[in-house]
């Protein structure tokens, strides 16, 4: 089987490429390296290029006979999407449209799409299942929901089969494979907490302590990146078996507060972690927890690494080897 992984040099994409190679898939990665890292691409051919280059996409898709495409290459920072929506709509929407058009032109009709809990906006109920109202509150969420809509229309008109996987809070790492989260700048809670534990930052800021939650800090559903890869693999199997398109929320159904994450990180690392209390970050709902019953039922997805301790321990193992990874970056 041959799969094109767009964004395969990034955080989740690089874990997926590694997982696919272990399943004996031939993998080609397309990545512009704007956020990804050359040395994170394992056992795959890397094509450095952008989804903005439509002709190049046609050449790439024409030269290979891909069974499916997985698309991880999008901008993911909510705050930046509010400040610079043009960049978000261009990359997350227009560039994805280029990819879909090139796929249709070259007869590739299976697509696994990285979507997000941000398509739901402010939750009306918790946990959030697939039926929940979709009302994004920022351009990032809108851009992802628009692609989901496009995929429904493409299914009807052109026979494109797709699975949209709505990640809640991706975290953790495959440190044994030398893979982990390497955003620059980093904005996500767990890597920032662990950088503080490692002495790379003075303190972790807690954005808001007056939410309507038991300890006043925001609650999120953290899901291990390797469990997300398992879901992608199952999604691919679903598409290959001809069972049809699907939309799934991916989380563990377990909500942990920012304070609980920091406390767990203190226990896992046995390090001091200084905190700073800051005002709320705009656009943060108090609680985002997934109901993944449908993914369990239809995909057969059973997350193997659901405990927060495990997720943080794996991210910590990666954090401790990160300087080596940085040197590899410089050498590339
Ligand atoms: N958060 C925080 N301090 C930070 C980064 C994040 O308190 O330095 C909070 C953030 O407000 C949210 C939670 O941690 O409530 C998870 O944020 P993250 O950016 O990791 O993921 P998001 O939920 O935005 O996708």
């Amino acid at each position: 089987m041959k799969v094109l992984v767009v964004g395969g040099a990034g955080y989740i994409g690089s874990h997926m490429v590694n997982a696919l190679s272990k399943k004996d898939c031939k993998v080609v990665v397309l990545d512009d390296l704007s956020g990804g890292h050359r040395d994170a691409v394992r056992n795959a051919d890397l094509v450095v290029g952008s989804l903005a280059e439509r002709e190049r996409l046609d050449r790439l898709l024409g030269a290979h006979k891909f069974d499916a495409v997985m698309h991880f290459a999008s901008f993911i920072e909510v705050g930046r999407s509010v400040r610079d929506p043009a960049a978000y709509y261009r990359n997350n929407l227009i560039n994805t449209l280029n990819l879909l058009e090139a796929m249709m032109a070259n007869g590739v009709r299976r697509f696994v799409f990285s979507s997000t809990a941000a398509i739901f906006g402010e939750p009306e109920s918790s946990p959030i299942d697939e039926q929940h109202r979709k009302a994004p509150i920022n351009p990032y969420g809108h851009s992802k929901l628009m692609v989901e809509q496009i995929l429904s229309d493409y299914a009807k008109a052109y026979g494109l089969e797709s699975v949209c996987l709505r990640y809640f809070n991706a975290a953790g790492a495959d440190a044994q494979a030398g893979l982990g989260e390497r955003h620059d700048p980093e904005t996500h809670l767990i890597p920032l907490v662990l950088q503080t534990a490692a002495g790379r930052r003075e303190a972790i800021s807690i954005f808001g302590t007056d939410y309507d939650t038991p300890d006043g800090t925001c609650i999120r559903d953290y899901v291990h990146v390797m469990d997300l890869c398992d879901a992608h693999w199952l999604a691919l199997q679903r598409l290959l078996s001809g069972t049809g398109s699907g939309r799934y929320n991916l989380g563990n159904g377990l909500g942990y507060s920012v304070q609980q994450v920091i406390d767990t990180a203190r226990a896992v690392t046995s390090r001091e972690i200084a905190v700073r209390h800051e005002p709320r970050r705009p656009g943060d709902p108090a609680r985002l927890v997934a109901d993944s019953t449908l993914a369990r039922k239809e995909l057969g997805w059973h997350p193997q690494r659901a405990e927060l301790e495990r997720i943080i321990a794996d991210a910590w193992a990666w954090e401790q080897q990160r300087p080596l990874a940085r040197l590899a970056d410089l050498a590339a």
Side-chain angles (χ1 to χ4, degrees):
M1 186 167 43
K2 203 172 203 183
V3 181
L4 174 65
V5 179
V6 184
Y11 170 42
I12 304 173
S14 62
H15 285 80
M16 190 68 229
V17 170
N18 191 47
L20 285 170
S21 72
K22 287 188 177 153
K23 304 269 190 192
D24 283 336
C25 286
K26 282 201 93 42
V27 182
V28 176
V29 169
L30 175 66
D31 199 301
D32 65 2
L33 299 182
S34 60
H37 304 268
R38 188 183 290 273
D39 66 284
V41 177
R42 301 288 154 78
N43 307 314
D45 293 334
L46 170 64
V47 177
V48 179
S50 159
L51 291 179
E53 303 166 79
R54 173 63 210 276
E55 280 173 20
R56 189 142 179 227
L57 278 177
D58 273 324
R59 282 203 301 279
L60 180 65
L61 287 156
H64 296 268
K65 241 180 114 28
F66 290 115
D67 296 285
V69 174
M70 291 184 172
H71 180 23
F72 297 90
S74 58
F75 293 157
I76 55 165
E77 275 177 63
V78 169
R80 239 190 83 208
S81 82
V82 175
R83 291 192 301 277
D84 190 5
Y88 272 66
Y89 287 118
R90 178 151 300 282
N91 189 42
N92 293 6
L93 186 62
I94 306 294
N95 286 353
T96 302
L97 208 51
N98 274 346
L99 174 62
L100 294 175
E101 285 177 5
M103 285 174 61
M104 295 306 97
N106 288 280
V108 184
R109 292 202 159 70
R110 297 187 194 98
F111 189 62
V112 184
F113 179 60
S114 301
S115 190
T116 169
I119 65 166
F120 296 108
E122 194 66 51
E124 290 178 320
S125 55
S126 183
I128 299 171
D129 68 12
E130 287 75 7
Q131 304 308 318
H132 188 284
R133 181 190 64 164
K134 283 127 201 118
I137 54 171
N138 49 61
Y140 169 62
H142 278 296
S143 70
K144 291 285 185 173
L145 187 57
M146 286 175 190
V147 173
E148 287 204 12
Q149 179 60 52
I150 289 168
L151 291 173
S152 300
D153 295 339
Y154 268 49
K156 288 181 212 127
Y158 313 127
L160 173 72
E161 304 225 316
S162 66
V163 175
C164 295
L165 298 175
R166 295 140 177 183
Y167 314 152
F168 278 61
N169 284 65
D174 185 352
Q176 278 188 337
L179 297 172
E181 204 164 352
R182 290 158 82 182
H183 298 121
D184 187 19
E186 187 54 76
T187 62
H188 290 125
L189 179 65
I190 290 180
L192 289 175
V193 167
L194 294 176
Q195 286 172 21
T196 311
R200 294 191 174 94
R201 287 174 190 269
E202 273 178 25
I204 178 72
S205 297
I206 300 182
F207 296 140
T209 52
D210 57 350
Y211 284 96
D212 184 16
T213 59
D215 64 21
T217 65
C218 282
I219 290 178
R220 294 289 179 273
D221 187 341
Y222 296 91
V223 53
H224 201 294
V225 62
M226 291 166 80
D227 284 332
L228 291 180
C229 291
D230 290 346
H232 280 260
W233 174 253
L234 294 165
L236 190 57
Q237 301 314 303
R238 180 180 171 90
L239 293 176
L240 289 167
S241 70
T243 325
S245 297
R247 310 271 179 271
Y248 303 101
N249 295 356
L250 298 184
N252 290 305
L254 302 167
Y256 292 101
S257 71
V258 173
Q259 187 62 57
Q260 284 176 306
V261 168
I262 295 169
D263 291 341
T264 307
R266 285 183 177 130
V268 166
T269 64
S270 304
R271 302 274 180 99
E272 307 255 317
I273 299 174
V275 304
R276 220 181 274 137
H277 289 177
E278 307 258 4
R280 292 183 178 197
R281 192 174 68 173
D284 271 343
R287 182 187 299 266
L288 285 175
V289 177
D291 180 340
S292 294
T293 309
L294 194 65
R296 286 164 200 267
K297 203 170 117 212
E298 290 192 358
L299 294 179
W301 184 57
H302 298 289
Q304 302 294 310
R305 308 154 188 94
E307 308 77 32
L308 186 61
E309 288 78 7
R310 166 73 193 270
I311 292 172
I312 291 181
D314 286 359
W316 179 234
W318 157 250
E319 185 58 45
Q320 289 171 293
Q321 55 171 267
R322 182 194 286 270
L324 295 175
R326 284 247 168 94
L327 286 179
D329 247 5
L330 290 175

